Amino acid sequence: MSDNRESLLALAKVLIASAWADGELSHDEQNCLKDIIFHLAGTDGQLSGREWSMLDMYMESPVGAAERGRLVADLQALIQDKAEQQYVLDALQMMAEVDGTSGPEEQLVIAEIGAQVQESNAGGLFDSLNRFLGGPMRRRSAAVASGPNREAFFDDYLQNKVYYETSLRLRESGRSLNLTDAALRKLGLAGGLMARIAKVDREVSPAEYDMIVQTMMTTWSLDRETAEFVADVAVSSLSHTYDYYRMTREFATETSQQERRDFLVALFMLAGSDGDASFEETEEIRLVAQGINVSHQDFIDAKMKAKALHTG
């Protein structure tokens, strides 16, 4: 049996080829595809930088009929036994549920794909995948467009609204902001993920808010006024949900492995700032850990380190 990672990469190439079937693939569609593939990769381990670059190559220019046929044949060659076939079907089911429950038509297409995989029906398989992909892509696009999340807020308004307001507050206090745009972007992503943990019980306690501020100050060397402003932005809209998939993918892309490990410790410190971390908070951090592609051992190590820091 081939490694699931190899099957995932082959499936991702076929999905990209399917997205190119109409000869167009917009920037937004590329990002939606990356979100979906990143989510799938998180179940079996992070794809390497080289593998992501290869997928980017397929996204940058149309995939013709001949190459499309080869990609489908490569996928079929990798999924000859039932375990691998089931892996692909499970991956499609996960895709269908990324941004909501799939409908009966999608379930029928998944069953159809399962039959075509067993029959080695290359043409039928591609046509069915092409029909299937539309549902997850539409839901992913809708989620990004309608979700007022921290990542989108900082991305869309970094150069004007948020940056301007931050600078204004600092000028009024006689201070200056000495952060790069890249650091500010990380700040928005980190703030959104910390707010996600803090709002598990739907209320951000004073201790949790202060821990977010302390993390901002320590990790990005912010003064308290700036850190409090960013924390206010991050937790200001508790009635709205974040775009978890986009936010975790962007955070994983913008940070190093060590930064993500350190950030896990900060999340556990946040969860335990108003008492012991609850089961719900721990499970939420586990989801974040999977989303930013750190190992289960890193998750355990961060939990133990935070516990030692709390008791130390």
Side-chain angles (χ1 to χ4, degrees):
M1 183 176 73
S2 64
D3 184 81
N4 282 349
R5 183 180 179 133
E6 190 176 3
S7 296
L8 170 65
L9 191 61
L11 175 61
K13 291 176 185 176
V14 174
L15 292 173
I16 295 170
S18 177
W20 272 114
D22 62 356
E24 297 182 358
L25 186 62
S26 70
H27 179 70
D28 287 342
E29 288 174 328
Q30 289 185 27
N31 273 330
C32 287
L33 264 177
K34 288 179 180 179
D35 289 346
I36 291 169
I37 295 168
F38 191 91
H39 178 57
L40 296 180
T43 65
D44 283 303
Q46 184 178 13
L47 292 175
S48 69
R50 180 181 178 84
E51 289 165 334
W52 274 111
S53 294
M54 185 179 297
L55 295 181
D56 283 336
M57 180 179 66
Y58 280 96
M59 289 189 188
E60 286 181 0
S61 58
V63 179
E67 187 172 20
R68 191 165 60 225
R70 177 186 64 79
L71 293 175
V72 174
D74 288 346
L75 174 62
Q76 288 184 308
L78 287 170
I79 55 175
Q80 289 302 302
D81 64 45
K82 291 189 180 298
E84 286 293 336
Q85 292 167 7
Q86 189 60 50
Y87 170 77
V88 170
L89 295 178
D90 288 345
L92 295 177
Q93 186 65 46
M94 187 177 297
M95 281 178 58
E97 297 173 355
V98 161
D99 288 293
T101 304
S102 62
E105 290 185 3
E106 282 177 312
Q107 294 304 311
L108 286 174
V109 176
I110 292 176
E112 181 180 294
I113 290 170
Q116 289 161 345
V117 165
Q118 293 175 3
E119 297 168 2
S120 297
N121 183 353
L125 174 60
F126 182 79
D127 290 343
S128 296
L129 281 171
N130 193 21
R131 283 164 45 218
F132 168 78
L133 183 60
M137 287 286 284
R138 283 192 298 272
R139 287 192 293 274
R140 178 92 289 264
S141 180
V144 172
S146 63
N149 57 78
R150 293 286 81 77
E151 189 274 333
F153 184 84
F154 273 75
D155 188 28
D156 293 340
Y157 299 104
L158 184 61
Q159 297 300 329
N160 43 61
K161 186 176 180 181
V162 173
Y163 186 83
Y164 172 78
E165 189 171 346
T166 303
S167 299
L168 179 63
R169 292 191 185 188
L170 291 171
R171 284 197 300 271
E172 289 174 347
S173 66
R175 301 176 183 180
S176 62
L177 182 64
N178 187 28
L179 288 173
T180 66
D181 287 348
L184 282 169
R185 183 172 177 76
K186 285 185 185 179
L187 212 57
L189 296 166
L193 289 171
M194 285 190 286
R196 180 181 175 89
I197 302 304
K199 73 184 187 72
V200 165
D201 58 1
R202 302 188 181 278
E203 182 178 356
V204 180
S205 70
E208 289 173 327
Y209 175 84
D210 191 56
M211 183 59 68
I212 294 175
V213 172
Q214 290 297 329
T215 300
M216 295 286 186
M217 293 173 65
T218 302
T219 306
W220 283 276
S221 301
L222 301 183
D223 60 79
R224 176 168 285 277
E225 182 180 0
T226 305
E228 287 179 348
F229 169 73
V230 177
D232 287 341
V233 172
V235 302
S236 62
S237 187
L238 294 182
S239 62
H240 294 133
T241 59
Y242 302 126
D243 181 1
Y244 169 70
Y245 302 111
R246 179 64 54 85
M247 190 160 47
T248 52
R249 176 172 70 79
E250 290 286 342
F251 188 79
T253 301
E254 297 293 331
T255 54
S256 68
Q257 188 75 11
Q258 188 56 52
E259 284 179 305
R260 295 194 290 278
R261 289 169 178 154
D262 292 341
F263 187 64
L264 271 191
V265 177
L267 292 183
F268 275 113
M269 294 292 290
L270 171 61
S273 61
D274 55 354
D276 292 337
S278 68
F279 172 79
E280 291 77 13
E281 287 171 327
T282 300
E283 288 305 298
E284 197 70 30
I285 296 173
R286 189 191 308 277
L287 289 176
V288 171
Q290 292 173 354
I292 63 176
N293 276 331
V294 295
S295 70
H296 182 64
Q297 187 59 53
D298 288 332
F299 170 82
I300 294 173
D301 290 345
K303 183 178 181 180
M304 298 306 295
K305 184 173 182 178
K307 184 176 181 179
L309 289 171
H310 273 303
T311 59

